[in-house]
Amino acid sequence: MRLEYALTVCDPRSLMVADIQASTSRSSGLSKADIMTALGYVQRQEHAGLALLYAKYLKHDNEISYALDALWQYSQTKHASSNIKGRAIMRQLVALALFDYCRTPEDKGQQCPACKGRKEVRDRKAEEQLYEICSKVVELTKPCKRCHGTGLKALPKSNVVTIVQKMMPKANERTIYRTWIPIYNELVQWCYTQEEEASRSYSRMVRM
Ligand SMILES: [Zn+2]
């Protein structure tokens, strides 16, 4: 069972995914107690990663604040600023990066317009080729190029420009793209890395 589903097993608010839980938990052979033990282990090993996953899939307020705090701490180890404006920009970038990471194709208004959040699109060329070979109409799909298979619409980087220019009206776009956008991308990437670490830790635990 994948970690994002495991989270919902112990969450009374996740009735929507009850069917997935039931089937995946049966097929994995894990009891609810096993899953809770594994989650406890992951929390001790990869607290930030687990909090990020809870924030993303279950939108738990307390986990969102934990994740926000962890991301802020990370930003300060790499890009601590001695001036108030710099810190204010960083606080907003951290919040935006967390929002960016926490989006799922199920969230209203976040679907990629090309694949409607399905992560893949019809592969007409492959369908035609197959038809030429065996005269059979088969629907084939390929990962959506526009969203790189995430199912999410792109978040405009101009959001970062707006945040920076509110604090530093004289900062020009080119400078912002050169200095702040890489930091923003790094913050988002940190969230994904923490998620991967948490997933790995969970997999190790349930395979034992
Ligand atoms: Zn797409």
Side-chain angles (χ1 to χ4, degrees):
M1 179 193 285
R2 290 175 60 182
L3 179 52
E4 58 258 47
Y5 295 133
L7 301 176
T8 66
V9 169
C10 313
D11 188 84
R13 282 173 282 179
S14 310
L15 296 172
M16 262 163 53
V17 281
D19 292 344
I20 308 171
Q21 286 170 14
S23 65
T24 48
S25 124
R26 264 197 305 276
S27 63
S28 65
L30 295 170
S31 68
K32 190 172 168 180
D34 293 335
I35 292 164
M36 287 179 79
T37 307
L39 289 177
Y41 170 80
V42 179
Q43 190 169 38
R44 283 191 298 279
Q45 302 293 316
E46 303 292 341
H47 198 165
L50 193 66
L52 282 159
L53 279 151
Y54 271 115
K56 182 175 195 155
Y57 294 104
L58 302 176
K59 319 286 186 211
H60 281 184
D61 287 344
N62 51 343
E63 302 293 349
I64 292 171
S65 346
Y66 186 92
L68 200 58
D69 205 36
L71 186 53
W72 169 254
Q73 297 298 335
Y74 168 73
S75 76
Q76 292 312 289
T77 61
K78 299 286 297 288
H79 308 285
S81 171
S82 55
N83 73 63
I84 297 173
K85 280 182 185 175
R87 278 200 298 279
I89 291 171
M90 192 62 87
R91 280 204 185 279
Q92 291 188 52
L93 289 192
V94 162
L96 184 64
L98 185 65
F99 167 77
D100 195 345
Y101 161 80
C102 283
R103 298 178 307 143
T104 72
E106 286 74 38
D107 295 331
K108 205 170 163 237
Q110 298 304 326
Q111 289 88 3
C112 159
C115 63
K116 309 276 183 291
R118 285 190 295 264
K119 304 178 183 180
E120 41 187 34
V121 289
R122 288 275 296 274
D123 190 342
R124 308 272 180 195
K125 205 170 162 191
E127 285 174 10
E128 276 165 30
Q129 280 168 347
L130 191 66
Y131 186 78
E132 270 172 34
I133 298 166
C134 59
S135 303
K136 239 173 142 181
V137 180
V138 182
E139 204 171 289
L140 297 171
T141 57
K142 59 181 176 184
C144 175
K145 254 191 196 163
R146 179 135 171 197
C147 64
H148 307 288
T150 63
L152 293 166
K153 73 171 185 188
L155 213 60
K157 293 283 188 278
S158 57
N159 289 342
V160 174
V161 176
T162 309
I163 286 173
V164 177
Q165 283 182 336
K166 247 188 223 163
M167 289 292 158
M168 299 175 172
K170 284 184 187 155
N172 68 50
E173 249 178 70
R174 248 181 77 199
T175 312
I176 296 170
Y177 269 84
R178 213 179 43 234
T179 54
W180 290 100
I181 302 271
I183 294 176
Y184 174 77
N185 290 339
E186 190 189 324
L187 295 175
V188 177
Q189 189 48 50
W190 182 83
C191 296
Y192 283 103
T193 308
Q194 299 309 303
E195 176 189 323
E196 279 163 29
E197 296 290 339
S199 292
R200 255 200 294 276
S201 166
Y202 173 79
S203 300
R204 271 199 304 272
M205 187 65 186
V206 294
R207 270 195 217 118
M208 272 199 285

